[in-house]
Amino acid sequence: MSDTDPVIVHALAPSSVFAFRSEAESWDAFLERFEVFLQAHDLSELPEGRRRGTFLHYCGPEMFATARALSAPTPVHTMPLDLLMARLKLHYELTPSKYSRRQFFRRCIQRQSISQYVAELRAAAINCEFSDLEDALLEQFIYGLLDINLHRQILSRTELSMKIAMDEAWTYKMASQSTPDVRRFPPSALLALPNSAVHSQMMVLDPCADATASVDCLRSMPPRDGDVKDQPSLFGALWFPRHFCTLHPWSLRLFWIETLIVPVCLFVCLFVEVPWDQRWKAKEAAITSRTHKLNGNYSSDIWDPVRLIIAIILDGYGRLWHGYELHGIENIPDGPGLIIYYHGAVPMDYLCFLAKIFILKRKCCYSIADDCVFIFPGVQALAGVTGIIQNKKEECLNVLKKGKLLGISPGGMREALFSDKSYKLIWHKRKGFAQLAVDMKVPIIPMCTQNIREGYWIFGRSRALARRLYEYSRIPFLPVYGGFPVKFRTYIGEPILYNPNVTSEELAEKTQIALQSLIRKHQQIPGSICRALLERFHKEKKKE
């Protein structure tokens, strides 16, 4: 076909359908759609002039104006089509590097079904230039799975490929969907299924029709009185809420009641350390199969929902009663580190800090507590969940080796009891934290809270006798009172990085100076409870 041959075009698509949208497609996909457009209207054999004219006519007013600007001073209708396409591609498609594409690929996680997740991974892997594409897809596919049980099941296989992993995922999904249907019905309900002859005939005609008809038949059956005792416990259905709501509309209200009551009861029984055989004899068999994973290892991620509940409660108390604020959170490293803080009479500020860190970063900060804290009943389990450990070097090293944060108050109980509104540090030559930081090569982050001494007070003016008794017995004899709704602001100072040329003694002294300077910067000394109460009503901070 030449430029002089007539071209008959019938009912071409409107330009609005053909227009390029950068947010919806790439430039290469647009060009491919243009070729399909030409092929659909029998215009594939057009010469270059008419091909260019067809493109400019149907590209839309916005792209036409862009093409005119890119081709200036040459008229756009005379510019070679290849050169015009190259300039438009440079304008509309900013080519990212393969490293940025790989970073986007590594952030892909499962947000939808397995098939959609695999399609998203394959689309994100385009132009990533992986040396082994299937291996990269397999690694990211396993990493991005939401179900931890499926994740472990796939990793337990000795031989793995993308096909094997997808087969495992589909098998696991089908099993999880069919299990609630099977568990709902007693053995007597299986009599309603088709007999073997009908079953075989249906399978030959339509393999999926039999399963669908059987499940629909079972779902339509009302529960019989004699079968109620065989119905699974609501505790079992609690782990399949979506299927439970579908299959049990008659007990939806009971489901939500037990959804709220059961976790609270489990929480109370665990931390009060009530024996299971005395409180839960009727439900022990149903609960054991679901709770055996929770016993023993309190540092497991399976306790994160409990930690989140505790954190929300503490954070709500801190914000409502003390107007708690946290400043300098950007100074906290992503890896391991030591948080060195000033210890108030009651470390409520530190508990609010732990809650805020977990809520904002989902990061559990471990803490060292005095030995007298662990003598109370139930504290051992609560401490295990919240990351409170005893002052033992081995446990501290293990925490830092795991890449976690560790909070230490060198003053400890001594500083809580015998410091006053002057906010004086009472460390008593404690340098173990500095040696720990030097051994593990981790930074030290100083931290203090404004008005912590005004919130909680120690009873008694003359404390000389109490100080002697404490040094002798390590038991706090002075009572605590207060709980005043003063303003709490926690300030996190700049980290003191590891320096191989600094000894532990020099590092301890440097940390003490940094923490004392942080206190003087943000705390008016001596402290005043009236001023601390007034700070609840304005946002003015201490001037530097």
Side-chain angles (χ1 to χ4, degrees):
M1 182 180 293
S2 64
D3 292 346
T4 59
D5 294 336
V7 178
I8 301 176
V9 180
H10 300 284
L12 293 181
S15 60
S16 60
V17 178
F18 185 71
F20 172 67
R21 295 181 295 274
S22 59
E23 70 278 1
E25 61 181 346
S26 64
W27 177 259
D28 293 334
F30 171 71
L31 292 183
E32 186 175 352
R33 190 159 59 88
F34 175 62
E35 294 295 336
V36 173
F37 172 83
L38 296 177
Q39 184 179 5
H41 295 85
D42 197 18
L43 302 177
S44 301
E45 302 298 331
L46 282 179
E48 181 179 353
R50 292 187 177 180
R51 192 182 185 93
R52 179 181 58 242
T54 303
F55 174 80
L56 293 175
H57 178 72
Y58 287 98
C59 67
E62 295 182 2
M63 183 178 290
F64 184 79
T66 304
R68 287 189 61 196
L70 293 176
S71 63
T74 304
V76 65
H77 61 275
T78 61
M79 176 172 284
L81 183 60
D82 294 341
L83 180 58
L84 178 62
M85 290 296 187
R87 292 187 180 183
L88 287 174
K89 181 176 182 180
L90 289 177
H91 176 77
Y92 282 107
E93 188 177 71
L94 299 177
T95 305
S97 65
K98 64 179 180 180
Y99 302 104
S100 61
R101 292 195 187 100
R102 290 180 181 180
Q103 186 178 9
F104 175 78
F105 175 78
R106 297 300 181 190
R107 289 199 295 265
C108 291
I109 61 175
Q110 182 188 0
R111 300 181 180 89
Q112 58 278 338
S113 64
I114 295 295
S115 57
Q116 292 174 336
Y117 175 45
V118 174
E120 181 184 359
L121 284 179
R122 293 192 179 277
I126 298 177
N127 298 326
C128 286
E129 301 181 15
F130 289 117
S131 58
D132 191 344
L133 179 60
E134 289 299 318
D135 186 66
L137 287 172
L138 175 61
E139 181 180 357
Q140 188 60 29
F141 174 77
I142 299 175
Y143 171 77
L145 290 174
L146 294 181
D147 196 314
I148 186 64
N149 294 324
L150 175 58
H151 187 273
R152 293 171 179 171
Q153 181 176 334
I154 295 178
L155 289 180
S156 64
R157 298 290 296 265
T158 55
E159 296 182 0
L160 265 181
S161 65
M162 193 63 187
K163 184 178 183 304
I164 295 176
M166 290 183 63
D167 291 343
E168 287 284 347
W170 278 110
T171 304
Y172 181 85
K173 178 182 178 181
M174 295 176 64
S176 62
Q177 290 178 350
S178 60
T179 298
D181 287 336
V182 176
R183 294 181 61 184
R184 180 192 189 279
F185 306 101
S188 58
L190 299 178
L191 297 176
L193 293 175
N195 55 35
S196 57
V198 178
H199 176 75
S200 302
Q201 184 179 2
M202 292 177 65
M203 287 298 291
V204 172
L205 296 177
D206 188 359
C208 298
D210 178 52
T212 304
S214 301
V215 173
D216 291 341
C217 180
L218 285 173
R219 288 181 175 178
S220 63
M221 291 178 56
R224 288 176 286 182
D225 296 338
D227 297 333
V228 173
K229 61 182 180 180
D230 295 326
Q231 296 289 339
S233 169
L234 290 180
F235 288 92
L238 186 63
W239 298 88
F240 302 94
R242 178 169 61 87
H243 306 287
F244 179 73
C245 296
T246 304
L247 300 177
H248 299 261
W250 49 270
S251 57
L252 182 60
R253 185 174 301 176
L254 290 178
F255 165 74
W256 286 112
I257 292 176
E258 288 202 10
T259 303
L260 298 176
I261 293 177
V262 171
V264 174
C265 295
L266 292 177
F267 183 85
V268 172
C269 288
L270 174 66
F271 294 138
V272 180
E273 298 182 350
V274 178
W276 287 103
D277 55 352
Q278 296 180 8
R279 298 287 184 179
W280 295 89
K281 289 184 178 180
K283 295 292 184 179
E284 183 177 7
I287 296 176
T288 303
S289 62
R290 295 298 179 184
T291 58
H292 71 279
K293 298 179 182 180
L294 305 182
N295 298 329
N297 186 14
Y298 293 113
S299 62
S300 173
D301 293 341
I302 202 171
W303 285 98
D304 280 350
V306 178
R307 296 189 184 100
L308 183 60
I309 293 174
I310 298 174
I312 291 174
I313 294 174
L314 289 174
D315 183 62
Y317 169 79
R319 288 193 296 174
L320 292 176
W321 192 249
H322 294 291
Y324 182 78
E325 297 177 6
L326 180 61
H327 301 273
I329 192 174
E330 66 277 0
N331 293 327
I332 296 180
D334 295 331
L338 291 180
I339 306 291
I340 305 300
Y341 64 96
Y342 174 81
H343 201 304
V346 175
M348 183 54 65
D349 61 321
Y350 182 69
L351 296 179
C352 294
F353 161 76
L354 296 179
K356 187 72 74 173
I357 287 296
F358 189 82
I359 292 174
L360 294 179
K361 292 193 171 185
R362 289 298 189 270
K363 192 177 183 68
C364 183
C365 178
Y366 288 74
S367 310
I368 293 180
D370 195 272
D371 293 338
C372 67
V373 175
F374 295 91
I375 64 176
F376 297 100
V379 173
Q380 190 71 33
L382 180 61
V385 173
T386 55
I388 299 175
I389 62 176
Q390 291 180 318
N391 188 12
K392 296 180 180 180
K393 186 176 181 180
E394 294 78 10
E395 295 189 18
C396 298
L397 291 175
N398 291 333
V399 169
L400 295 177
K401 288 179 181 178
K402 294 177 182 178
K404 305 292 185 179
L405 294 173
L406 179 61
I408 301 177
S409 176
M413 188 65 71
R414 184 181 292 107
E415 189 172 83
L417 294 174
F418 306 112
S419 185
D420 51 21
K421 58 184 179 180
S422 64
Y423 288 81
K424 180 181 179 181
L425 299 179
I426 306 177
W427 285 11
H428 201 63
K429 298 182 180 180
R430 289 187 175 179
K431 303 175 183 177
F433 72 93
Q435 187 63 48
L436 183 66
V438 171
D439 294 340
M440 296 302 299
K441 301 179 181 179
V442 297
I444 292 178
I445 303 96
M447 185 180 74
C448 70
T449 300
Q450 184 182 16
N451 302 324
I452 181 60
R453 276 289 163 185
E454 284 63 55
Y456 300 90
W457 290 15
I458 298 295
F459 183 81
R461 294 185 177 180
S462 178
R463 305 177 185 176
L465 179 60
R467 179 70 178 268
R468 292 182 181 179
L469 291 175
Y470 174 78
E471 298 294 345
Y472 177 77
S473 63
R474 289 294 188 270
I475 298 177
F477 289 96
L478 296 177
V480 180
Y481 70 100
F484 304 110
V486 299
K487 183 68 175 181
F488 280 177
R489 292 190 183 99
T490 296
Y491 295 93
I492 303 174
E494 296 183 358
I496 303 174
L497 303 179
Y498 167 73
N499 188 349
N501 299 323
V502 177
T503 63
S504 60
E505 291 79 8
E506 295 173 345
L507 182 59
E509 183 179 0
K510 186 176 181 180
T511 305
Q512 186 173 6
I513 295 174
L515 181 56
Q516 194 70 66
S517 301
L518 190 66
I519 293 174
R520 292 177 179 175
K521 180 179 180 181
H522 299 288
Q523 177 66 51
Q524 293 188 10
I525 299 175
S528 170
I529 186 172
C530 295
R531 182 174 60 246
L533 288 172
L534 290 176
E535 290 180 359
R536 288 296 305 272
F537 303 101
H538 61 86
K539 298 182 179 180
E540 183 180 357
K541 304 175 185 177
K542 179 188 172 184
K543 296 181 180 180
E544 300 180 7

